[in-house]
Amino acid sequence: MDAYEAAFYEGLKPDRDLTVWEWADEHRYLSSKASAEPGKWRTDRTPYLREIMTVLSSNDPTQRVVFMKSAQIGGTEVGNCWLGYIVHHSPGPVLYVMPTVEIAEKASKQRIAPMIEESPVLKELIAPARSRDSGNSLLTKEFRGGVLMLTGANSAAGLRSMPIKTLFCDELDAWPLDVEGEGSPLALAEKRTTTFARRKIFLVSTPTLADTSRISIEYERSDKRRYFVPCPHCGHMQWLRWRGYDNDATGGRAKEYRLVWADDGKTKAAYICEECGSYIEERHKTAMLRGGEWRSTAVGDGITKGYHINSLYSPAGWKAWVEILQEFEDASKDPALLKTFVNTTLGEPFEEAYSARLDAEGLAKRSGGYELLTVPAAGLVVVAGCDVQRDRVEIIQRAYGEGEQSWLVNYAVVHGDPQRPELWAQVLNVLDMEFQHESGAIVRTYAAAVDSGDGETTHAVYAFARQNRHRHILAVKGMSQAGKPVLGKPTKQDINIRKQTIKNGVELWPYGSDTAKSTIYQRLKNTEAGPGTFHWPMGLPAEYWQQLTAEKQIVRMLNGFPKRVWVKADSARNEVLDCEGMALAALQYIYTRHNRQSFWPQMRARIEKTAEKLAESAPVEAEIEQMPVPVAPVGRLSLDGWRRG
Ligand SMILES: [Zn+2]
């Protein structure tokens, strides 16, 4: 442990005044193995990296530096120069974290080893990994006064090492969200730096998806620096962006800035100046980069400096503007390529179309055309979904028709204590309600799914489902994993609340809530009447719409793999969406009992028949006025199927 201890104390000493870029210009050599431009490092080549290297220097007070970048812009090289600087000039304990241990091993071999090999001062300070007793291995490199440790964000042990002065987090967006059940690997790693007042934390990544991009979250928290460069025509300082408009222009005109083809043959590209509108040719870029400067565009948290750069800034000889335009043309036809373009060329997080939150007001505008508690002609069977809360049950009744086009018929909230039978009697009243079908027939709920999920109310729901089995009331349990069927195979629950085995135990149906919600959200996007389309009557409360759109699906990295998950704001309620999902599960239940092909025509025939019978009886009703004899409806669709009145 002596070397670690020495490194610890060395790390507390102040350093001589020298910046990372000054060190790199003097001592850094790029190897032909790891670089397209081997030879001596020149910060002049990538002027936008200079300030980042300055704030990483040990005499600069900045503690946290965030670099959100496009690919191949020199981001990793900044980190390498910084590591070399620390080893040679500012020793102390350093932790270099990559997404996984395997990637760290690979980087050690392919990037760190060649850097040491090619730079004489580093080669002198770090013994080769293979030599006996060198104190060096693939993941640990000792040097005078310091130690460089490499690890993966998937290794809790690696992140829990000794105190560190310097933390380098590379490709942050590829890190797992959770490391071996111990929470965020970034939080775990940052905790190691708290001993050092003069600590440095450098976070680097190409962003990924907007909802989960850690580098984007960190950048948003920072002072959001952009690299402003002068227009060669008017001198106006601006940062280079892909395409867009700036509406807050003082001159009353929207400012336009974008990269465009400069000729019809698509051989030349130009950037339109946001101020004078002139075409800026790429040959001006070298001078523009030299004349550029970082300017913060936000206040930030006061301790984090954030830098963002995209491929439009690529130095001459790297990625050209025409290549970027060409890439976009290819990508605009393919969503997967578009994501890559946005992430790796523009260096920006990608907002996927499907993850966009549905707009409650927009949906509400689509309601109408029929009234609450009535069923339009094409609605053939009513199903219900019931969400059980500690103080109420929320109920959705929806009529489905051919192609699973559907019409909301009723939305009810029954208040009360789920432990009391009174509440369930009221729920049953709602499920027994008669609805007026457009044909003249009367229809009632055919099947209902009731959520049994919450532990406190589970047994009350079981009891309700057991007592009303003949009415096709199902106890369901939500399964949030992706890919589960909307309704799975039931299991017998024959233990009661006192853990006693009971006869005629209730069937518990697994309900694929993730699949159901995905299906519903997909269907909510249909604006034209047709298969799958959702319809709503006039007059639903705003609450309904807010709850329906309370969740959104996003992609999260779980254990390093992207997973689609549903998320909602902590405060948001979403019972309506759950109810709609369970109503869909109730429809699936009907499919388990009927032939899917013949079901809809059969239901249509039944409704028409009832309507006819009711029409025939209409004159009778007229006679009733003279002869007061109570007449029940001729027939109705009920929970137990069809029955004559
Ligand atoms: Zn200009």
Side-chain angles (χ1 to χ4, degrees):
M1 284 307 288
D2 286 353
Y4 292 91
E5 216 166 283
F8 180 84
Y9 291 111
E10 194 72 33
L12 299 172
K13 289 186 196 165
D15 302 298
R16 278 185 298 122
D17 211 3
L18 181 80
T19 63
V20 174
W21 65 266
E22 284 167 333
W23 178 89
D25 278 344
E26 198 176 333
H27 298 291
R28 176 89 199 277
Y29 291 86
L30 296 168
S31 87
S32 51
K33 273 181 229 161
S35 173
E37 286 184 13
K40 202 157 189 214
W41 169 273
R42 289 189 299 129
T43 308
D44 257 356
R45 192 84 177 90
T46 49
Y48 49 83
L49 295 180
R50 191 183 305 268
E51 184 182 308
I52 303 173
M53 293 164 92
T54 301
V55 299
L56 287 172
S57 307
S58 44
N59 274 0
D60 189 282
T62 310
Q63 288 194 1
R64 288 180 101 241
V65 182
V66 171
F67 190 19
M68 180 163 82
K69 60 178 197 64
S70 55
Q72 287 150 16
I73 198 84
T76 306
E77 288 306 333
V78 172
N80 290 344
C81 290
W82 186 42
L83 292 176
Y85 166 89
I86 291 162
V87 169
H88 184 206
H89 179 74
S90 176
V94 186
L95 184 62
Y96 182 10
V97 190
M98 265 155 286
T100 65
V101 174
E102 293 68 33
I103 296 172
E105 285 172 347
K106 213 168 131 191
S108 174
K109 278 185 227 162
Q110 296 178 352
R111 292 214 323 265
I112 306 297
M115 174 174 79
I116 296 167
E117 190 62 29
E118 305 278 327
S119 300
V121 291
L122 298 179
K123 199 175 173 185
E124 215 171 85
L125 287 165
I126 300 181
R130 57 183 171 276
S131 65
R132 197 182 280 260
D133 299 325
S134 67
N136 289 336
S137 66
L138 210 49
L139 296 178
T140 309
K141 311 235 173 250
E142 285 179 10
F143 49 92
R144 186 179 46 78
V147 58
L148 165 63
M149 288 163 290
L150 294 91
T151 191
N154 62 343
S155 161
L159 298 173
R160 246 194 276 102
S161 65
M162 56 187 268
I164 44 165
K165 182 184 174 190
T166 305
L167 174 63
F168 177 13
C169 303
D170 203 0
E171 282 309 327
L172 193 62
D173 272 19
W175 287 26
L177 279 185
D178 176 87
V179 52
E180 300 178 45
E182 295 193 25
S184 154
L186 180 58
L188 213 55
E190 286 209 41
K191 225 183 253 176
R192 304 275 71 79
T193 64
T194 48
T195 321
F196 291 91
R198 298 176 62 82
R199 65 180 181 159
K200 288 273 183 202
I201 298 166
F202 185 33
L203 312 173
V204 185
S205 194
T206 298
T208 50
L209 292 163
D211 283 307
T212 50
S213 169
R214 280 212 181 114
I215 197 74
S216 161
I217 291 165
E218 293 290 343
Y219 181 76
E220 288 299 320
R221 202 178 279 172
S222 76
D223 58 3
K224 296 171 80 167
R225 283 157 195 254
R226 310 276 190 188
Y227 198 66
F228 282 68
V229 291
C231 168
H233 307 293
C234 73
H236 176 73
M237 295 292 278
Q238 60 201 297
W239 67 279
L240 305 181
R241 283 173 269 190
W242 171 235
R243 277 169 192 187
Y245 299 89
D246 202 346
N247 279 316
D248 56 31
T250 43
R253 135 191 103 84
K255 286 181 176 178
E256 186 186 7
Y257 41 82
R258 58 193 183 117
L259 192 63
V260 292
W261 291 112
D263 62 341
D264 292 340
K266 296 189 175 179
T267 58
K268 280 188 217 148
Y271 189 85
I272 299 177
C273 169
E274 67 173 25
E275 184 63 25
C276 69
S278 303
Y279 276 38
I280 303 171
E281 287 173 53
E282 195 161 12
R283 63 187 170 86
H284 296 293
K285 192 155 73 178
T286 305
M288 289 165 75
L289 290 181
R290 287 213 178 117
E293 65 183 32
W294 287 100
R295 291 183 184 175
S296 55
T297 63
V299 179
D301 64 0
I303 59 161
T304 309
K305 283 194 172 130
Y307 298 86
H308 171 250
I309 201 117
N310 61 50
S311 292
L312 271 70
Y313 291 93
S314 282
W318 295 16
K319 187 175 273 184
W321 285 351
V322 284
E323 285 177 68
I324 295 173
L325 285 168
Q326 190 55 56
E327 249 181 37
F328 176 73
E329 291 204 349
D330 297 340
S332 57
K333 295 162 209 144
D334 180 344
L337 285 179
L338 190 61
K339 178 183 176 298
T340 306
F341 175 79
V342 171
N343 290 159
T344 65
T345 301
L346 302 185
E348 281 173 17
F350 184 66
E351 179 99 37
E352 278 192 289
Y354 71 80
S355 75
R357 192 186 289 272
L358 284 157
D359 159 41
E361 274 178 40
L363 284 179
K365 280 189 192 127
R366 275 156 48 189
S367 63
Y370 69 103
E371 282 176 25
L372 211 59
L373 309 181
T374 69
V375 182
L380 301 177
V381 64
V382 175
V383 286
C386 310
D387 185 71
V388 183
Q389 297 290 321
R390 311 252 164 118
D391 60 349
R392 67 188 185 280
V393 174
E394 301 210 3
I395 304 164
I396 285 290
Q397 282 152 304
R398 180 170 282 279
Y400 274 89
E402 273 171 80
E404 295 193 1
Q405 185 162 202
S406 67
W407 293 261
L408 185 78
V409 175
N410 189 23
Y411 166 45
V413 181
V414 179
H415 293 276
D417 180 357
Q419 308 299 345
R420 314 271 317 162
E422 295 88 331
L423 173 84
W424 295 104
Q426 285 187 62
V427 170
L428 205 56
N429 281 343
V430 174
L431 295 179
D432 272 345
M433 276 170 78
E434 298 180 340
F435 303 115
Q436 184 67 55
H437 192 271
E438 196 179 327
S439 65
I442 298 291
V443 293
R444 295 203 305 177
T445 304
Y446 190 110
V450 188
D451 165 38
S452 71
D454 182 359
E456 279 189 28
T457 54
T458 300
H459 284 279
V461 173
Y462 285 179
F464 181 62
R466 190 162 46 236
Q467 287 151 19
N468 296 287
R469 190 192 319 237
H470 60 286
R471 295 166 184 257
H472 306 303
I473 291 179
L474 323 175
V476 299
K477 183 177 172 51
M479 303 282 150
S480 61
Q481 303 94 320
K484 296 272 176 201
V486 172
L487 193 72
K489 289 210 160 44
T491 52
K492 266 274 198 287
Q493 303 294 310
D494 44 15
I495 304 289
N496 72 5
I497 199 158
R498 292 180 205 89
K499 305 229 176 343
Q500 296 160 329
T501 305
I502 45 171
K503 262 192 207 164
N504 300 321
V506 70
E507 282 184 329
L508 180 62
W509 297 74
Y511 151 60
S513 58
D514 183 275
T515 311
K517 286 175 193 173
S518 299
T519 306
I520 289 168
Y521 266 43
Q522 207 55 48
R523 290 177 173 183
L524 292 181
K525 288 178 190 161
N526 289 359
T527 50
E528 303 287 316
T533 303
F534 270 54
H535 301 268
W536 303 272
M538 287 302 280
L540 284 169
E543 181 71 10
Y544 172 88
W545 303 105
Q546 281 151 12
Q547 290 193 31
L548 188 64
T549 54
E551 296 191 35
K552 60 175 176 172
Q553 198 185 38
I554 61 163
V555 172
R556 275 220 172 125
M557 298 300 287
L558 291 174
N559 300 320
F561 295 99
K563 287 255 166 67
R564 285 171 190 216
V565 293
W566 288 93
V567 292
K568 68 176 173 78
D570 287 343
S571 57
R573 285 177 48 201
N574 65 340
E575 289 85 354
V576 156
L577 179 58
D578 283 332
C579 287
E580 290 282 12
M582 282 184 280
L584 189 62
L587 180 69
Q588 301 301 310
Y589 165 78
I590 294 176
Y591 293 153
T592 66
R593 304 171 55 85
H594 293 269
N595 180 315
R596 248 176 122 135
Q597 254 64 50
S598 57
F599 175 69
W600 298 114
Q602 273 172 18
M603 292 307 286
R604 178 180 300 283
R606 282 176 178 182
I607 285 174
E608 279 166 6
K609 209 168 157 191
T610 336
E612 273 168 33
K613 289 269 166 65
L614 276 174
E616 282 167 20
S617 68
V620 179
E621 271 180 59
E623 287 164 31
I624 293 168
E625 279 174 28
Q626 291 125 35
M627 283 193 305
V629 178
V631 171
V634 173
R636 61 192 174 191
L637 207 53
S638 73
L639 285 166
D640 350 348
W642 182 252
R643 68 169 182 247
R644 297 283 298 223

